[in-house]
Amino acid sequence: MKFDPTDLAVKDMYKLLSGSVVPRPIAWVSSISTDGVQNLAPFSFFTVASRNPAMLCISIGPGVGEREGTIKDTLTNIRDQKEFVINIVSTPLGNAMQKSAGNLPNHIDEFEEAGLTPVDSEKVLPKRVKESPIQMECKLHEIINLGTDHLIIGQLLLYHIDESFYLEDYKVNLEKLRPLGRLAGNYSENKDFFTLPK
Ligand SMILES: Cc1cc2nc3c(=O)[nH]c(=O)nc-3n(C[C@H](O)[C@H](O)[C@H](O)COP(=O)(O)O)c2cc1C
């Protein structure tokens, strides 16, 4: 079978993409509004954008459903403040992460809503999620408008890792991290690790 994106409804192409580019890591993004309200939301259109300088990117789509026609708070906040933190989601944090994806009014502190502990960042205003084993403080490098979506590229300013997840020589203990993967509407736990023969 084959599908030409120009023949498909947007939602159908999206379903094919999100079911094919899998599993995706989840950037749990903290940002802060100009009024000082802390915001937290997951984004699985997420990867490393550059190794030197270290940069990460997420793609933010338009509001859907009851938020049709609106701009996501994360995009507004990053546009205004030019800073954010990417927290990595381990499997035990799945339920809290899901809660923070709800359509909450922008005056609600999503840390509080999801029962999470905010900790001060060192180089940016948005707080880090204490419960997350890896937190990356970023400053905005560029926002690229791509059709209906916005690609946010951030430069890494400070990388934090809970010592108990750190192996020697800059390696992360993935068995312990149990990174949560986003599939289509569902999730995978990444816990079976192996190398392939050369
Ligand atoms: C696991 C997961 C991954 C998501 N990935 C994305 C994404 O990559 N891009 C996007 O625009 N929305 C994504 N969403 C939806 C946003 O998290 C959701 O729209 C959220 O309410 C935005 O919050 P905000 O308005 O506080 O920014 C995802 C939701 C979940 C649960």
Side-chain angles (χ1 to χ4, degrees), residues 14 24-27 29 31 39-46 58-64 67 70-77 97-104 106 110 149 180-187:
Y14 174 79
R24 296 182 302 284
I26 301 169
V29 177
S31 59
N39 191 83
L40 195 58
F43 296 89
S44 69
F45 287 10
F46 161 48
I58 56 165
S59 173
I60 303 186
V64 289
R67 286 180 71 184
T70 65
I71 295 172
K72 295 190 182 184
D73 296 334
T74 304
L75 176 57
T76 305
N77 292 349
M97 178 279 297
Q98 182 107 310
K99 261 194 197 151
S100 72
N103 283 337
L104 296 169
N106 57 8
E110 282 165 331
D149 293 16
L180 187 63
R182 177 65 156 168
L183 303 175
N186 46 357
Y187 297 93

mmCIF file of all heavy atoms in Angstrom, residues 14 24-27 29 31 39-46 58-64 67 70-77 97-104 106 110 149 180-187, ligand 1:
data_model
loop_
_atom_site.group_PDB
_atom_site.id
_atom_site.type_symbol
_atom_site.label_atom_id
_atom_site.label_comp_id
_atom_site.label_asym_id
_atom_site.label_seq_id
_atom_site.Cartn_x
_atom_site.Cartn_y
_atom_site.Cartn_z
ATOM 1 N N TYR A 14 -1.346 12.035 10.091
ATOM 2 C CA TYR A 14 -0.797 12.108 11.449
ATOM 3 C C TYR A 14 -0.808 10.720 12.106
ATOM 4 O O TYR A 14 0.175 10.318 12.743
ATOM 5 C CB TYR A 14 -1.608 13.117 12.284
ATOM 6 C CG TYR A 14 -1.202 13.151 13.722
ATOM 7 C CD1 TYR A 14 -0.057 13.840 14.127
ATOM 8 C CD2 TYR A 14 -1.935 12.466 14.685
ATOM 9 C CE1 TYR A 14 0.334 13.850 15.462
ATOM 10 C CE2 TYR A 14 -1.548 12.467 16.018
ATOM 11 C CZ TYR A 14 -0.415 13.164 16.396
ATOM 12 O OH TYR A 14 -0.027 13.162 17.707
ATOM 13 N N ARG A 24 8.821 6.964 20.394
ATOM 14 C CA ARG A 24 9.400 8.304 20.535
ATOM 15 C C ARG A 24 9.670 8.617 22.010
ATOM 16 O O ARG A 24 8.847 8.290 22.871
ATOM 17 C CB ARG A 24 8.431 9.371 19.975
ATOM 18 C CG ARG A 24 8.188 9.247 18.470
ATOM 19 C CD ARG A 24 7.260 10.340 17.957
ATOM 20 N NE ARG A 24 5.960 10.369 18.592
ATOM 21 C CZ ARG A 24 4.971 9.520 18.346
ATOM 22 N NH1 ARG A 24 5.120 8.568 17.465
ATOM 23 N NH2 ARG A 24 3.821 9.624 18.984
ATOM 24 N N PRO A 25 10.797 9.246 22.270
ATOM 25 C CA PRO A 25 11.033 9.694 23.646
ATOM 26 C C PRO A 25 10.089 10.854 23.947
ATOM 27 O O PRO A 25 9.523 11.455 23.025
ATOM 28 C CB PRO A 25 12.483 10.180 23.606
ATOM 29 C CG PRO A 25 12.701 10.603 22.194
ATOM 30 C CD PRO A 25 11.831 9.720 21.343
ATOM 31 N N ILE A 26 9.916 11.136 25.198
ATOM 32 C CA ILE A 26 8.979 12.212 25.573
ATOM 33 C C ILE A 26 9.738 13.336 26.284
ATOM 34 O O ILE A 26 10.386 13.111 27.301
ATOM 35 C CB ILE A 26 7.861 11.662 26.484
ATOM 36 C CG1 ILE A 26 7.100 10.540 25.748
ATOM 37 C CG2 ILE A 26 6.906 12.776 26.904
ATOM 38 C CD1 ILE A 26 6.154 9.757 26.632
ATOM 39 N N ALA A 27 9.659 14.517 25.689
ATOM 40 C CA ALA A 27 10.207 15.711 26.340
ATOM 41 C C ALA A 27 9.097 16.260 27.226
ATOM 42 O O ALA A 27 8.026 16.616 26.733
ATOM 43 C CB ALA A 27 10.599 16.758 25.292
ATOM 44 N N VAL A 29 8.157 19.205 29.059
ATOM 45 C CA VAL A 29 8.706 20.561 28.958
ATOM 46 C C VAL A 29 8.129 21.466 30.034
ATOM 47 O O VAL A 29 6.899 21.650 30.120
ATOM 48 C CB VAL A 29 8.416 21.153 27.561
ATOM 49 C CG1 VAL A 29 8.907 22.591 27.470
ATOM 50 C CG2 VAL A 29 9.092 20.297 26.479
ATOM 51 N N SER A 31 7.888 25.303 31.346
ATOM 52 C CA SER A 31 8.060 26.676 30.865
ATOM 53 C C SER A 31 7.319 27.575 31.848
ATOM 54 O O SER A 31 6.637 27.091 32.750
ATOM 55 C CB SER A 31 7.499 26.820 29.442
ATOM 56 O OG SER A 31 6.130 26.495 29.421
ATOM 57 N N ASN A 39 4.317 25.966 33.859
ATOM 58 C CA ASN A 39 3.577 25.108 32.933
ATOM 59 C C ASN A 39 4.411 23.857 32.632
ATOM 60 O O ASN A 39 5.635 23.921 32.561
ATOM 61 C CB ASN A 39 3.344 25.878 31.629
ATOM 62 C CG ASN A 39 2.365 25.175 30.723
ATOM 63 O OD1 ASN A 39 1.163 25.310 30.885
ATOM 64 N ND2 ASN A 39 2.867 24.389 29.779
ATOM 65 N N LEU A 40 3.703 22.755 32.456
ATOM 66 C CA LEU A 40 4.383 21.494 32.181
ATOM 67 C C LEU A 40 3.557 20.729 31.151
ATOM 68 O O LEU A 40 2.342 20.603 31.317
ATOM 69 C CB LEU A 40 4.449 20.711 33.493
ATOM 70 C CG LEU A 40 5.369 19.537 33.612
ATOM 71 C CD1 LEU A 40 6.810 19.913 33.336
ATOM 72 C CD2 LEU A 40 5.258 18.966 35.034
ATOM 73 N N ALA A 41 4.191 20.234 30.094
ATOM 74 C CA ALA A 41 3.439 19.468 29.089
ATOM 75 C C ALA A 41 4.391 18.539 28.331
ATOM 76 O O ALA A 41 5.559 18.872 28.121
ATOM 77 C CB ALA A 41 2.737 20.406 28.109
ATOM 78 N N PRO A 42 3.879 17.358 27.929
ATOM 79 C CA PRO A 42 4.720 16.394 27.201
ATOM 80 C C PRO A 42 4.697 16.622 25.684
ATOM 81 O O PRO A 42 3.650 16.949 25.117
ATOM 82 C CB PRO A 42 4.060 15.060 27.541
ATOM 83 C CG PRO A 42 2.627 15.371 27.802
ATOM 84 C CD PRO A 42 2.559 16.793 28.272
ATOM 85 N N PHE A 43 5.831 16.375 25.056
ATOM 86 C CA PHE A 43 5.949 16.486 23.597
ATOM 87 C C PHE A 43 6.811 15.327 23.104
ATOM 88 O O PHE A 43 7.982 15.221 23.467
ATOM 89 C CB PHE A 43 6.571 17.832 23.205
ATOM 90 C CG PHE A 43 5.690 18.990 23.594
ATOM 91 C CD1 PHE A 43 5.808 19.583 24.842
ATOM 92 C CD2 PHE A 43 4.698 19.439 22.738
ATOM 93 C CE1 PHE A 43 4.956 20.607 25.226
ATOM 94 C CE2 PHE A 43 3.839 20.469 23.100
ATOM 95 C CZ PHE A 43 3.980 21.053 24.348
ATOM 96 N N SER A 44 6.217 14.474 22.269
ATOM 97 C CA SER A 44 6.973 13.307 21.807
ATOM 98 C C SER A 44 7.586 13.536 20.421
ATOM 99 O O SER A 44 8.334 12.683 19.948
ATOM 100 C CB SER A 44 6.090 12.061 21.798
ATOM 101 O OG SER A 44 5.119 12.183 20.793
ATOM 102 N N PHE A 45 7.254 14.640 19.785
ATOM 103 C CA PHE A 45 7.978 14.990 18.560
ATOM 104 C C PHE A 45 9.229 15.703 19.070
ATOM 105 O O PHE A 45 9.279 16.934 19.156
ATOM 106 C CB PHE A 45 7.125 15.866 17.636
ATOM 107 C CG PHE A 45 6.006 15.120 16.946
ATOM 108 C CD1 PHE A 45 5.675 13.820 17.306
ATOM 109 C CD2 PHE A 45 5.289 15.703 15.911
ATOM 110 C CE1 PHE A 45 4.646 13.128 16.666
ATOM 111 C CE2 PHE A 45 4.264 15.014 15.263
ATOM 112 C CZ PHE A 45 3.938 13.732 15.649
ATOM 113 N N PHE A 46 10.221 14.910 19.396
ATOM 114 C CA PHE A 46 11.340 15.370 20.217
ATOM 115 C C PHE A 46 12.606 14.605 19.846
ATOM 116 O O PHE A 46 12.583 13.378 19.752
ATOM 117 C CB PHE A 46 10.977 15.114 21.689
ATOM 118 C CG PHE A 46 12.135 15.087 22.667
ATOM 119 C CD1 PHE A 46 13.101 16.086 22.659
ATOM 120 C CD2 PHE A 46 12.235 14.067 23.609
ATOM 121 C CE1 PHE A 46 14.157 16.058 23.571
ATOM 122 C CE2 PHE A 46 13.279 14.034 24.527
ATOM 123 C CZ PHE A 46 14.243 15.031 24.505
ATOM 124 N N ILE A 58 11.781 20.191 19.738
ATOM 125 C CA ILE A 58 10.432 19.615 19.867
ATOM 126 C C ILE A 58 9.548 20.283 18.822
ATOM 127 O O ILE A 58 9.845 21.408 18.395
ATOM 128 C CB ILE A 58 9.816 19.843 21.271
ATOM 129 C CG1 ILE A 58 9.784 21.338 21.623
ATOM 130 C CG2 ILE A 58 10.543 19.070 22.342
ATOM 131 C CD1 ILE A 58 8.875 21.664 22.791
ATOM 132 N N SER A 59 8.491 19.587 18.447
ATOM 133 C CA SER A 59 7.551 20.183 17.496
ATOM 134 C C SER A 59 6.206 20.358 18.198
ATOM 135 O O SER A 59 5.665 19.406 18.754
ATOM 136 C CB SER A 59 7.418 19.282 16.277
ATOM 137 O OG SER A 59 6.394 19.768 15.441
ATOM 138 N N ILE A 60 5.715 21.576 18.158
ATOM 139 C CA ILE A 60 4.436 21.884 18.823
ATOM 140 C C ILE A 60 3.372 22.131 17.760
ATOM 141 O O ILE A 60 3.530 22.984 16.890
ATOM 142 C CB ILE A 60 4.571 23.116 19.744
ATOM 143 C CG1 ILE A 60 5.683 22.869 20.775
ATOM 144 C CG2 ILE A 60 3.243 23.432 20.426
ATOM 145 C CD1 ILE A 60 5.819 23.938 21.841
ATOM 146 N N GLY A 61 2.307 21.355 17.861
ATOM 147 C CA GLY A 61 1.208 21.469 16.905
ATOM 148 C C GLY A 61 0.172 22.478 17.375
ATOM 149 O O GLY A 61 0.280 23.039 18.464
ATOM 150 N N PRO A 62 -0.865 22.663 16.560
ATOM 151 C CA PRO A 62 -1.935 23.590 16.951
ATOM 152 C C PRO A 62 -2.827 22.949 18.008
ATOM 153 O O PRO A 62 -2.810 21.728 18.174
ATOM 154 C CB PRO A 62 -2.705 23.782 15.636
ATOM 155 C CG PRO A 62 -2.441 22.540 14.843
ATOM 156 C CD PRO A 62 -1.093 22.023 15.256
ATOM 157 N N GLY A 63 -3.593 23.762 18.716
ATOM 158 C CA GLY A 63 -4.557 23.232 19.682
ATOM 159 C C GLY A 63 -5.585 22.372 18.943
ATOM 160 O O GLY A 63 -5.976 22.702 17.829
ATOM 161 N N VAL A 64 -5.976 21.254 19.564
ATOM 162 C CA VAL A 64 -6.985 20.393 18.920
ATOM 163 C C VAL A 64 -8.183 20.225 19.858
ATOM 164 O O VAL A 64 -8.107 20.563 21.037
ATOM 165 C CB VAL A 64 -6.391 18.996 18.553
ATOM 166 C CG1 VAL A 64 -5.411 19.098 17.407
ATOM 167 C CG2 VAL A 64 -5.743 18.334 19.764
ATOM 168 N N ARG A 67 -9.605 22.895 22.170
ATOM 169 C CA ARG A 67 -8.624 23.987 22.058
ATOM 170 C C ARG A 67 -8.294 24.330 20.604
ATOM 171 O O ARG A 67 -7.294 24.978 20.334
ATOM 172 C CB ARG A 67 -7.355 23.628 22.834
ATOM 173 C CG ARG A 67 -7.594 23.746 24.320
ATOM 174 C CD ARG A 67 -6.374 23.390 25.098
ATOM 175 N NE ARG A 67 -5.324 24.379 25.002
ATOM 176 C CZ ARG A 67 -4.126 24.234 25.551
ATOM 177 N NH1 ARG A 67 -3.846 23.149 26.214
ATOM 178 N NH2 ARG A 67 -3.218 25.170 25.445
ATOM 179 N N THR A 70 -6.480 27.575 19.145
ATOM 180 C CA THR A 70 -5.682 28.252 20.184
ATOM 181 C C THR A 70 -4.216 27.817 20.064
ATOM 182 O O THR A 70 -3.894 26.852 19.372
ATOM 183 C CB THR A 70 -6.172 27.896 21.607
ATOM 184 O OG1 THR A 70 -5.937 26.497 21.830
ATOM 185 C CG2 THR A 70 -7.645 28.198 21.780
ATOM 186 N N ILE A 71 -3.373 28.548 20.756
ATOM 187 C CA ILE A 71 -1.939 28.247 20.758
ATOM 188 C C ILE A 71 -1.607 27.556 22.080
ATOM 189 O O ILE A 71 -2.077 27.981 23.140
ATOM 190 C CB ILE A 71 -1.140 29.561 20.625
ATOM 191 C CG1 ILE A 71 -1.439 30.176 19.243
ATOM 192 C CG2 ILE A 71 0.353 29.348 20.807
ATOM 193 C CD1 ILE A 71 -0.872 31.563 19.077
ATOM 194 N N LYS A 72 -0.806 26.504 22.021
ATOM 195 C CA LYS A 72 -0.468 25.800 23.260
ATOM 196 C C LYS A 72 0.351 26.713 24.171
ATOM 197 O O LYS A 72 1.189 27.490 23.699
ATOM 198 C CB LYS A 72 0.285 24.508 22.953
ATOM 199 C CG LYS A 72 -0.626 23.540 22.189
ATOM 200 C CD LYS A 72 -0.069 22.147 22.044
ATOM 201 C CE LYS A 72 -1.063 21.341 21.222
ATOM 202 N NZ LYS A 72 -0.696 19.941 21.068
ATOM 203 N N ASP A 73 0.110 26.586 25.476
ATOM 204 C CA ASP A 73 0.783 27.452 26.446
ATOM 205 C C ASP A 73 2.305 27.328 26.340
ATOM 206 O O ASP A 73 3.027 28.312 26.511
ATOM 207 C CB ASP A 73 0.338 27.096 27.879
ATOM 208 C CG ASP A 73 -1.147 27.355 28.081
ATOM 209 O OD1 ASP A 73 -1.707 28.210 27.372
ATOM 210 O OD2 ASP A 73 -1.746 26.678 28.940
ATOM 211 N N THR A 74 2.785 26.130 26.075
ATOM 212 C CA THR A 74 4.236 25.930 25.986
ATOM 213 C C THR A 74 4.833 26.821 24.887
ATOM 214 O O THR A 74 5.879 27.450 25.088
ATOM 215 C CB THR A 74 4.554 24.444 25.691
ATOM 216 O OG1 THR A 74 3.947 23.650 26.707
ATOM 217 C CG2 THR A 74 6.054 24.177 25.649
ATOM 218 N N LEU A 75 4.156 26.898 23.749
ATOM 219 C CA LEU A 75 4.658 27.724 22.644
ATOM 220 C C LEU A 75 4.626 29.207 23.024
ATOM 221 O O LEU A 75 5.620 29.927 22.826
ATOM 222 C CB LEU A 75 3.826 27.460 21.378
ATOM 223 C CG LEU A 75 4.162 28.314 20.154
ATOM 224 C CD1 LEU A 75 5.633 28.166 19.749
ATOM 225 C CD2 LEU A 75 3.260 27.947 18.966
ATOM 226 N N THR A 76 3.519 29.630 23.610
ATOM 227 C CA THR A 76 3.411 31.032 24.043
ATOM 228 C C THR A 76 4.530 31.363 25.031
ATOM 229 O O THR A 76 5.220 32.383 24.897
ATOM 230 C CB THR A 76 2.037 31.265 24.732
ATOM 231 O OG1 THR A 76 1.033 30.868 23.828
ATOM 232 C CG2 THR A 76 1.846 32.711 25.135
ATOM 233 N N ASN A 77 4.719 30.473 26.010
ATOM 234 C CA ASN A 77 5.717 30.742 27.055
ATOM 235 C C ASN A 77 7.137 30.779 26.483
ATOM 236 O O ASN A 77 7.945 31.634 26.858
ATOM 237 C CB ASN A 77 5.645 29.665 28.150
ATOM 238 C CG ASN A 77 4.359 29.751 28.944
ATOM 239 O OD1 ASN A 77 3.607 30.715 28.821
ATOM 240 N ND2 ASN A 77 4.086 28.736 29.751
ATOM 241 N N MET A 97 2.827 12.411 33.995
ATOM 242 C CA MET A 97 3.057 13.052 32.697
ATOM 243 C C MET A 97 1.737 13.211 31.950
ATOM 244 O O MET A 97 1.427 14.261 31.395
ATOM 245 C CB MET A 97 4.051 12.199 31.907
ATOM 246 C CG MET A 97 4.383 12.669 30.514
ATOM 247 S SD MET A 97 3.180 12.217 29.283
ATOM 248 C CE MET A 97 3.249 10.439 29.317
ATOM 249 N N GLN A 98 0.939 12.132 31.961
ATOM 250 C CA GLN A 98 -0.348 12.152 31.247
ATOM 251 C C GLN A 98 -1.264 13.240 31.807
ATOM 252 O O GLN A 98 -1.929 13.937 31.061
ATOM 253 C CB GLN A 98 -0.994 10.770 31.386
ATOM 254 C CG GLN A 98 -2.299 10.648 30.668
ATOM 255 C CD GLN A 98 -2.161 9.783 29.413
ATOM 256 O OE1 GLN A 98 -1.269 9.983 28.594
ATOM 257 N NE2 GLN A 98 -3.024 8.829 29.281
ATOM 258 N N LYS A 99 -1.260 13.382 33.128
ATOM 259 C CA LYS A 99 -2.078 14.422 33.770
ATOM 260 C C LYS A 99 -1.694 15.802 33.269
ATOM 261 O O LYS A 99 -2.540 16.668 33.057
ATOM 262 C CB LYS A 99 -1.865 14.394 35.291
ATOM 263 C CG LYS A 99 -2.922 13.664 36.030
ATOM 264 C CD LYS A 99 -2.845 13.959 37.517
ATOM 265 C CE LYS A 99 -3.632 12.883 38.248
ATOM 266 N NZ LYS A 99 -3.125 12.635 39.567
ATOM 267 N N SER A 100 -0.390 16.009 33.074
ATOM 268 C CA SER A 100 0.080 17.340 32.685
ATOM 269 C C SER A 100 -0.234 17.645 31.223
ATOM 270 O O SER A 100 -0.010 18.764 30.767
ATOM 271 C CB SER A 100 1.583 17.476 32.942
ATOM 272 O OG SER A 100 2.309 16.716 31.993
ATOM 273 N N ALA A 101 -0.772 16.641 30.494
ATOM 274 C CA ALA A 101 -1.134 16.874 29.089
ATOM 275 C C ALA A 101 -2.571 17.361 28.968
ATOM 276 O O ALA A 101 -3.025 17.685 27.877
ATOM 277 C CB ALA A 101 -0.956 15.595 28.281
ATOM 278 N N GLY A 102 -3.296 17.406 30.090
ATOM 279 C CA GLY A 102 -4.704 17.828 30.053
ATOM 280 C C GLY A 102 -4.839 19.274 29.603
ATOM 281 O O GLY A 102 -3.899 20.065 29.719
ATOM 282 N N ASN A 103 -6.014 19.594 29.076
ATOM 283 C CA ASN A 103 -6.267 20.966 28.630
ATOM 284 C C ASN A 103 -6.630 21.843 29.817
ATOM 285 O O ASN A 103 -7.790 22.088 30.094
ATOM 286 C CB ASN A 103 -7.429 20.987 27.627
ATOM 287 C CG ASN A 103 -6.973 20.515 26.273
ATOM 288 O OD1 ASN A 103 -5.779 20.576 25.954
ATOM 289 N ND2 ASN A 103 -7.907 20.039 25.467
ATOM 290 N N LEU A 104 -5.612 22.319 30.505
ATOM 291 C CA LEU A 104 -5.891 23.119 31.699
ATOM 292 C C LEU A 104 -5.779 24.604 31.365
ATOM 293 O O LEU A 104 -4.965 24.991 30.536
ATOM 294 C CB LEU A 104 -4.873 22.769 32.798
ATOM 295 C CG LEU A 104 -4.958 21.325 33.308
ATOM 296 C CD1 LEU A 104 -3.769 20.992 34.186
ATOM 297 C CD2 LEU A 104 -6.251 21.118 34.072
ATOM 298 N N ASN A 106 -4.619 28.409 31.450
ATOM 299 C CA ASN A 106 -3.200 28.772 31.572
ATOM 300 C C ASN A 106 -2.802 29.362 32.925
ATOM 301 O O ASN A 106 -1.626 29.568 33.172
ATOM 302 C CB ASN A 106 -2.751 29.682 30.416
ATOM 303 C CG ASN A 106 -3.595 30.923 30.331
ATOM 304 O OD1 ASN A 106 -4.414 31.171 31.211
ATOM 305 N ND2 ASN A 106 -3.406 31.694 29.284
ATOM 306 N N GLU A 110 0.763 23.434 36.552
ATOM 307 C CA GLU A 110 0.649 22.007 36.218
ATOM 308 C C GLU A 110 1.545 21.119 37.088
ATOM 309 O O GLU A 110 1.345 19.916 37.146
ATOM 310 C CB GLU A 110 0.881 21.802 34.717
ATOM 311 C CG GLU A 110 -0.385 22.194 33.950
ATOM 312 C CD GLU A 110 -0.219 22.390 32.459
ATOM 313 O OE1 GLU A 110 0.879 22.765 32.024
ATOM 314 O OE2 GLU A 110 -1.207 22.183 31.737
ATOM 315 N N ASP A 149 2.610 23.713 12.347
ATOM 316 C CA ASP A 149 3.378 23.390 13.549
ATOM 317 C C ASP A 149 4.588 24.316 13.730
ATOM 318 O O ASP A 149 4.964 25.040 12.812
ATOM 319 C CB ASP A 149 3.846 21.931 13.480
ATOM 320 C CG ASP A 149 2.687 20.939 13.568
ATOM 321 O OD1 ASP A 149 1.528 21.370 13.383
ATOM 322 O OD2 ASP A 149 2.925 19.760 13.818
ATOM 323 N N LEU A 180 10.145 5.988 29.066
ATOM 324 C CA LEU A 180 8.812 5.733 28.509
ATOM 325 C C LEU A 180 8.819 6.124 27.037
ATOM 326 O O LEU A 180 9.323 7.181 26.667
ATOM 327 C CB LEU A 180 7.776 6.564 29.272
ATOM 328 C CG LEU A 180 6.309 6.308 28.948
ATOM 329 C CD1 LEU A 180 5.896 4.875 29.311
ATOM 330 C CD2 LEU A 180 5.416 7.292 29.696
ATOM 331 N N GLY A 181 8.284 5.254 26.189
ATOM 332 C CA GLY A 181 8.211 5.544 24.759
ATOM 333 C C GLY A 181 6.780 5.845 24.359
ATOM 334 O O GLY A 181 5.846 5.210 24.850
ATOM 335 N N ARG A 182 6.615 6.823 23.483
ATOM 336 C CA ARG A 182 5.279 7.131 22.956
ATOM 337 C C ARG A 182 5.125 6.384 21.643
ATOM 338 O O ARG A 182 6.007 6.451 20.773
ATOM 339 C CB ARG A 182 5.160 8.640 22.733
ATOM 340 C CG ARG A 182 3.847 9.088 22.133
ATOM 341 C CD ARG A 182 2.684 8.824 23.065
ATOM 342 N NE ARG A 182 1.561 9.704 22.781
ATOM 343 C CZ ARG A 182 0.345 9.536 23.285
ATOM 344 N NH1 ARG A 182 0.095 8.528 24.099
ATOM 345 N NH2 ARG A 182 -0.623 10.382 22.998
ATOM 346 N N LEU A 183 4.021 5.664 21.486
ATOM 347 C CA LEU A 183 3.752 4.979 20.220
ATOM 348 C C LEU A 183 2.693 5.808 19.492
ATOM 349 O O LEU A 183 2.895 6.992 19.265
ATOM 350 C CB LEU A 183 3.324 3.539 20.506
ATOM 351 C CG LEU A 183 4.347 2.727 21.327
ATOM 352 C CD1 LEU A 183 3.813 1.356 21.691
ATOM 353 C CD2 LEU A 183 5.675 2.594 20.574
ATOM 354 N N ALA A 184 1.543 5.201 19.129
ATOM 355 C CA ALA A 184 0.488 6.008 18.498
ATOM 356 C C ALA A 184 -0.262 6.690 19.642
ATOM 357 O O ALA A 184 0.166 7.742 20.118
ATOM 358 C CB ALA A 184 -0.382 5.118 17.644
ATOM 359 N N GLY A 185 -1.359 6.095 20.134
ATOM 360 C CA GLY A 185 -1.997 6.667 21.329
ATOM 361 C C GLY A 185 -1.487 5.989 22.588
ATOM 362 O O GLY A 185 -1.832 6.385 23.702
ATOM 363 N N ASN A 186 -0.678 4.960 22.428
ATOM 364 C CA ASN A 186 -0.249 4.167 23.581
ATOM 365 C C ASN A 186 1.253 4.335 23.841
ATOM 366 O O ASN A 186 1.910 5.167 23.213
ATOM 367 C CB ASN A 186 -0.632 2.691 23.367
ATOM 368 C CG ASN A 186 -0.264 2.210 21.979
ATOM 369 O OD1 ASN A 186 0.217 2.976 21.151
ATOM 370 N ND2 ASN A 186 -0.447 0.935 21.726
ATOM 371 N N TYR A 187 1.774 3.510 24.754
ATOM 372 C CA TYR A 187 3.147 3.699 25.227
ATOM 373 C C TYR A 187 3.907 2.385 25.230
ATOM 374 O O TYR A 187 3.302 1.310 25.274
ATOM 375 C CB TYR A 187 3.120 4.247 26.666
ATOM 376 C CG TYR A 187 2.471 5.597 26.776
ATOM 377 C CD1 TYR A 187 1.119 5.713 27.070
ATOM 378 C CD2 TYR A 187 3.209 6.755 26.558
ATOM 379 C CE1 TYR A 187 0.509 6.963 27.158
ATOM 380 C CE2 TYR A 187 2.611 8.005 26.645
ATOM 381 C CZ TYR A 187 1.270 8.096 26.939
ATOM 382 O OH TYR A 187 0.683 9.333 27.015
HETATM 383 C C1 LIG B 1 2.755 11.485 25.442
HETATM 384 C C2 LIG B 1 2.278 12.742 24.788
HETATM 385 C C3 LIG B 1 3.022 13.291 23.767
HETATM 386 C C4 LIG B 1 2.621 14.484 23.149
HETATM 387 N N1 LIG B 1 3.376 15.003 22.138
HETATM 388 C C5 LIG B 1 3.024 16.164 21.561
HETATM 389 C C6 LIG B 1 3.824 16.739 20.533
HETATM 390 O O1 LIG B 1 4.883 16.207 20.149
HETATM 391 N N2 LIG B 1 3.411 17.928 19.993
HETATM 392 C C7 LIG B 1 2.280 18.554 20.417
HETATM 393 O O2 LIG B 1 1.953 19.636 19.904
HETATM 394 N N3 LIG B 1 1.495 18.031 21.395
HETATM 395 C C8 LIG B 1 1.843 16.871 21.977
HETATM 396 N N4 LIG B 1 1.077 16.338 22.978
HETATM 397 C C9 LIG B 1 -0.107 17.075 23.443
HETATM 398 C C10 LIG B 1 0.290 18.187 24.436
HETATM 399 O O3 LIG B 1 0.990 17.657 25.536
HETATM 400 C C11 LIG B 1 -1.011 18.857 24.929
HETATM 401 O O4 LIG B 1 -1.579 19.557 23.839
HETATM 402 C C12 LIG B 1 -0.814 19.779 26.110
HETATM 403 O O5 LIG B 1 -2.081 20.106 26.654
HETATM 404 C C13 LIG B 1 -0.116 21.079 25.753
HETATM 405 O O6 LIG B 1 -0.030 21.800 26.947
HETATM 406 P P1 LIG B 1 0.225 23.355 27.032
HETATM 407 O O7 LIG B 1 -0.975 24.065 26.441
HETATM 408 O O8 LIG B 1 0.374 23.545 28.502
HETATM 409 O O9 LIG B 1 1.476 23.638 26.264
HETATM 410 C C14 LIG B 1 1.440 15.132 23.583
HETATM 411 C C15 LIG B 1 0.672 14.553 24.610
HETATM 412 C C16 LIG B 1 1.091 13.375 25.200
HETATM 413 C C17 LIG B 1 0.262 12.778 26.315
#
